[in-house]
Amino acid sequence: DAGVTQSPTHLIKTRGQQVTLRCSPISGHKSVSWYQQVLGQGPQFIFQYYEKEERGRGNFPDRFSARQFPNYSSELNVNALLLGDSALYLCASRATVSYGYTFGSGTRLTVV
Amino acid sequence: AQTVTQSQPEMSVQEAETVTLSCTYDTSESDYYLFWYKQPPSRQMILVIRQEAYKQQNATENRFSVNFQKAAKSFSLKISDSQLGDAAMYFCAYRRAHTGANSKLTFGKGITLSVRP
């Protein structure tokens, strides 16, 4: 089975632009979470979705939004990009009855 | 709010030797899960080992074992017979139990482990 896949792997955006990151969970996993990892730090929780509903939101501004589709894939959108949004964005999925999450390899976003 | 602290930013170990990575956490919950994740340069976060707080027995996965001290809120990872492939960043993480679909992970800042040949 394929793992958690994220696209794109890298991208460069200009301040003020908007970006959409995509995530496909492991087949059968209905829970998807997004994390932001700034260089040299641990991942910070952004959103969690389960069965297409938002189930948790971290301490991020409203410029960050996300959604989950009927096939359980997910998108993370960030509007009005700031230099400080430059980070590795990780997606993780989890089976309903499971303790741990499986992570994708992330999307490296650079804002210039 | 739960917090996870990894106070050692870097550690180094000789190949084939044993190393222990430290982690402390703060929570008012009595039931929770603790994890160690490994992040190599490939960036993918890989689950190394997990511990359920209600279990007194320390978890073990091959060369990896933990020392879980619930009263002290301490959760250290021991890597035995270190291999070059163990070189990576290691993150300690916490998750509340019984939260249903809302079950975020709280991570520490991580520790960079290097393995000397």
Side-chain angles (χ1 to χ4, degrees):
Chain A
D1 285 341
V4 178
T5 56
Q6 292 187 243
S7 63
T9 55
H10 298 84
L11 76 165
I12 300 173
K13 291 286 189 177
T14 303
R15 277 178 297 175
Q17 285 188 316
Q18 176 265 340
V19 67
T20 297
L21 312 180
R22 296 176 175 82
C23 171
S24 293
I26 290 174
S27 178
H29 287 194
K30 299 179 180 180
S31 175
V32 171
S33 298
W34 288 94
Y35 291 80
Q36 180 196 64
Q37 186 179 16
V38 174
L39 190 63
Q41 300 292 319
Q44 296 291 316
F45 172 72
I46 310 176
F47 283 110
Q48 180 170 20
Y49 277 79
Y50 178 76
E51 289 281 16
K52 303 179 290 296
E53 291 187 4
E54 182 183 305
R55 294 303 187 97
R57 171 186 285 254
N59 188 24
F60 281 81
D62 292 342
R63 300 184 296 106
F64 288 76
S65 63
R67 55 180 175 169
Q68 187 177 32
F69 299 98
N71 65 354
Y72 303 114
S73 66
S74 178
E75 287 182 350
L76 175 70
N77 295 284
V78 187
N79 294 321
L81 285 166
L82 303 174
L83 296 178
D85 295 331
S86 295
L88 178 67
Y89 288 84
L90 295 166
C91 175
S93 74
R94 182 173 73 94
T96 303
V97 284
S98 173
Y99 301 113
Y101 285 89
T102 302
F103 283 81
S105 295
T107 294
R108 172 73 67 190
L109 171 65
T110 301
V111 182
V112 297
Chain B
Q2 294 81 24
T3 58
V4 177
T5 302
Q6 295 179 255
S7 57
Q8 309 156 304
E10 297 179 358
M11 286 200 74
S12 180
V13 63
Q14 191 75 35
E15 194 176 6
E17 297 293 310
T18 296
V19 64
T20 298
L21 311 182
S22 301
C23 172
T24 58
Y25 59 94
D26 189 25
T27 182
S28 57
E29 304 287 332
S30 60
D31 203 5
Y32 47 86
Y33 307 114
L34 295 166
F35 306 88
W36 278 98
Y37 279 91
K38 170 185 177 182
Q39 188 177 40
S42 66
R43 309 181 321 198
Q44 185 172 14
M45 202 76 73
I46 302 166
L47 178 64
V48 174
I49 198 166
R50 72 165 187 257
Q51 175 78 43
E52 292 90 335
Y54 65 86
K55 291 186 178 179
Q56 292 186 342
Q57 186 173 8
N58 290 323
T60 299
E61 289 285 347
N62 300 314
R63 298 184 295 108
F64 299 88
S65 61
V66 299
N67 183 5
F68 173 50
Q69 301 290 328
K70 191 172 184 179
K73 295 181 182 176
S74 171
F75 183 61
S76 61
L77 174 70
K78 184 171 80 172
I79 305 174
S80 304
D81 186 25
S82 296
Q83 301 175 359
L84 295 178
D86 294 333
M89 278 204 77
Y90 286 81
F91 292 94
C92 179
Y94 166 100
R95 176 167 88 81
R96 290 172 59 194
H98 311 304
T99 56
N102 183 6
S103 52
K104 70 173 185 177
L105 290 167
T106 300
F107 287 88
K109 289 186 176 181
I111 176 171
T112 301
L113 177 68
S114 59
V115 181
R116 304 185 303 275

